[in-house]
Amino acid sequence: MLFPELAFGVKSCGEYTRKDFEEILSRIALDHEFANTGGKTLQLDRDEQVDLTATVRNPLAKSLLYHLRNLSTDAIDNQFDGVRDRLFEVLRSQRRLPDFVDVAIDLHDGASTGQLTLTT
């Protein structure tokens, strides 16, 4: 559902594919890992040779970060908007979202808490 909205600019001749990037992004998001650890873990799961003692960045993680670094701010915003819109579309089609919600904001003035409380 989410991956069609993401674009990495991967060329067909690249060492890693779009699917590789989708898998590592899923892993690091769900396991709360850094890209380097996620890349190593993913490659270990695939029975690929990985030097766990290496101090240099994992090649898969390095390639992912290279592609993400080269995305423009607008491209990233558009992708996030696309993912959000698709998620809401699916949730609405499954009737998992209410038609409306009541929201109250309780602001406390002062330096004691600095908290913002949302009540539904």
Short mmCIF file of all heavy atoms in Angstrom, two decimals, residues 2 10 18 20 26 30 41 56 59 62 74 85-87 90-91 99 104 117:
data_model
loop_
_atom_site.label_atom_id
_atom_site.label_comp_id
_atom_site.label_asym_id
_atom_site.label_seq_id
_atom_site.Cartn_x
_atom_site.Cartn_y
_atom_site.Cartn_z
N LEU A 2 1.95 1.26 0.75
CA LEU A 2 2.75 2.47 0.89
C LEU A 2 3.83 2.60 -0.18
O LEU A 2 4.14 3.69 -0.62
CB LEU A 2 3.41 2.50 2.27
CG LEU A 2 2.48 2.41 3.46
CD1 LEU A 2 3.28 2.38 4.75
CD2 LEU A 2 1.50 3.56 3.47
N VAL A 10 16.08 4.98 -8.46
CA VAL A 10 17.00 3.86 -8.68
C VAL A 10 17.09 3.57 -10.18
O VAL A 10 16.08 3.42 -10.84
CB VAL A 10 16.52 2.60 -7.92
CG1 VAL A 10 17.44 1.43 -8.18
CG2 VAL A 10 16.41 2.89 -6.44
N ARG A 18 14.91 -1.26 -6.17
CA ARG A 18 13.85 -0.60 -5.41
C ARG A 18 13.33 -1.54 -4.32
O ARG A 18 13.09 -1.13 -3.20
CB ARG A 18 12.73 -0.21 -6.37
CG ARG A 18 11.52 0.36 -5.72
CD ARG A 18 10.42 0.61 -6.76
NE ARG A 18 9.22 1.00 -6.10
CZ ARG A 18 8.95 2.24 -5.70
NH1 ARG A 18 9.80 3.20 -5.92
NH2 ARG A 18 7.82 2.51 -5.08
N ASP A 20 14.98 -3.85 -2.74
CA ASP A 20 15.96 -3.85 -1.65
C ASP A 20 15.71 -2.68 -0.70
O ASP A 20 15.74 -2.83 0.51
CB ASP A 20 17.39 -3.76 -2.19
CG ASP A 20 17.82 -5.00 -2.95
OD1 ASP A 20 17.40 -6.11 -2.59
OD2 ASP A 20 18.59 -4.84 -3.93
N SER A 26 11.39 -1.00 5.51
CA SER A 26 10.42 -1.70 6.36
C SER A 26 11.09 -2.19 7.62
O SER A 26 10.58 -2.03 8.73
CB SER A 26 9.81 -2.88 5.62
OG SER A 26 9.05 -2.44 4.54
N LEU A 30 10.12 -0.81 11.35
CA LEU A 30 9.42 -1.69 12.28
C LEU A 30 10.28 -2.12 13.46
O LEU A 30 9.78 -2.32 14.57
CB LEU A 30 8.91 -2.93 11.54
CG LEU A 30 7.83 -2.64 10.49
CD1 LEU A 30 7.51 -3.89 9.70
CD2 LEU A 30 6.59 -2.07 11.13
N THR A 41 21.39 -6.71 8.89
CA THR A 41 20.41 -7.73 9.29
C THR A 41 19.68 -8.29 8.08
O THR A 41 19.49 -9.50 7.96
CB THR A 41 19.40 -7.15 10.30
OG1 THR A 41 20.11 -6.54 11.36
CG2 THR A 41 18.48 -8.21 10.84
N VAL A 56 33.14 0.34 8.49
CA VAL A 56 32.61 1.14 7.39
C VAL A 56 31.12 0.84 7.25
O VAL A 56 30.64 -0.21 7.64
CB VAL A 56 33.34 0.85 6.05
CG1 VAL A 56 34.78 1.27 6.14
CG2 VAL A 56 33.22 -0.60 5.66
N PRO A 59 27.15 -1.54 2.64
CA PRO A 59 26.90 -1.05 1.27
C PRO A 59 25.42 -0.81 0.94
O PRO A 59 25.09 0.16 0.27
CB PRO A 59 27.48 -2.14 0.38
CG PRO A 59 28.42 -2.90 1.24
CD PRO A 59 27.92 -2.77 2.64
N LYS A 62 24.41 2.32 2.74
CA LYS A 62 25.08 3.45 2.10
C LYS A 62 24.35 3.85 0.81
O LYS A 62 24.12 5.04 0.55
CB LYS A 62 26.53 3.08 1.80
CG LYS A 62 27.36 4.21 1.27
CD LYS A 62 28.81 3.76 1.10
CE LYS A 62 29.66 4.90 0.60
NZ LYS A 62 31.07 4.50 0.47
N ASP A 74 10.77 18.94 -1.89
CA ASP A 74 9.43 18.83 -2.48
C ASP A 74 9.08 17.38 -2.80
O ASP A 74 7.95 16.95 -2.61
CB ASP A 74 9.32 19.69 -3.75
CG ASP A 74 9.27 21.17 -3.44
OD1 ASP A 74 8.91 21.54 -2.30
OD2 ASP A 74 9.60 21.97 -4.34
N ASP A 85 -2.31 10.14 2.06
CA ASP A 85 -3.57 10.10 1.32
C ASP A 85 -4.00 8.67 1.04
O ASP A 85 -5.18 8.33 1.17
CB ASP A 85 -3.46 10.89 0.02
CG ASP A 85 -3.28 12.38 0.26
OD1 ASP A 85 -3.51 12.85 1.39
OD2 ASP A 85 -2.87 13.08 -0.71
N ARG A 86 -3.05 7.82 0.65
CA ARG A 86 -3.37 6.42 0.36
C ARG A 86 -3.82 5.70 1.63
O ARG A 86 -4.77 4.91 1.60
CB ARG A 86 -2.15 5.73 -0.25
CG ARG A 86 -2.36 4.28 -0.57
CD ARG A 86 -3.37 4.09 -1.71
NE ARG A 86 -3.52 2.68 -1.96
CZ ARG A 86 -4.68 2.06 -2.04
NH1 ARG A 86 -5.80 2.75 -1.99
NH2 ARG A 86 -4.74 0.77 -2.22
N LEU A 87 -3.16 5.97 2.74
CA LEU A 87 -3.53 5.35 4.00
C LEU A 87 -4.96 5.73 4.40
O LEU A 87 -5.77 4.87 4.74
CB LEU A 87 -2.55 5.77 5.10
CG LEU A 87 -2.82 5.23 6.49
CD1 LEU A 87 -2.73 3.72 6.52
CD2 LEU A 87 -1.84 5.85 7.48
N VAL A 90 -7.55 3.94 2.15
CA VAL A 90 -7.77 2.55 2.54
C VAL A 90 -8.57 2.46 3.82
O VAL A 90 -9.51 1.67 3.94
CB VAL A 90 -6.42 1.79 2.66
CG1 VAL A 90 -6.61 0.43 3.32
CG2 VAL A 90 -5.76 1.66 1.30
N LEU A 91 -8.21 3.27 4.82
CA LEU A 91 -8.94 3.25 6.09
C LEU A 91 -10.40 3.64 5.90
O LEU A 91 -11.29 3.04 6.51
CB LEU A 91 -8.27 4.18 7.10
CG LEU A 91 -6.91 3.73 7.61
CD1 LEU A 91 -6.27 4.81 8.47
CD2 LEU A 91 -7.02 2.42 8.37
N ASP A 99 -16.62 9.49 10.95
CA ASP A 99 -16.95 10.62 10.09
C ASP A 99 -16.39 11.92 10.63
O ASP A 99 -16.00 12.81 9.90
CB ASP A 99 -18.46 10.74 9.91
CG ASP A 99 -19.03 9.57 9.12
OD1 ASP A 99 -18.28 8.99 8.31
OD2 ASP A 99 -20.21 9.25 9.32
N ALA A 104 -10.46 18.86 21.73
CA ALA A 104 -10.34 20.02 22.61
C ALA A 104 -8.87 20.21 22.93
O ALA A 104 -8.15 19.24 23.15
CB ALA A 104 -11.13 19.81 23.89
N THR A 117 -2.27 19.25 25.76
CA THR A 117 -3.11 18.09 25.95
C THR A 117 -4.24 18.12 24.93
O THR A 117 -4.96 19.11 24.84
CB THR A 117 -3.71 18.08 27.37
OG1 THR A 117 -2.66 18.18 28.31
CG2 THR A 117 -4.51 16.82 27.61
#
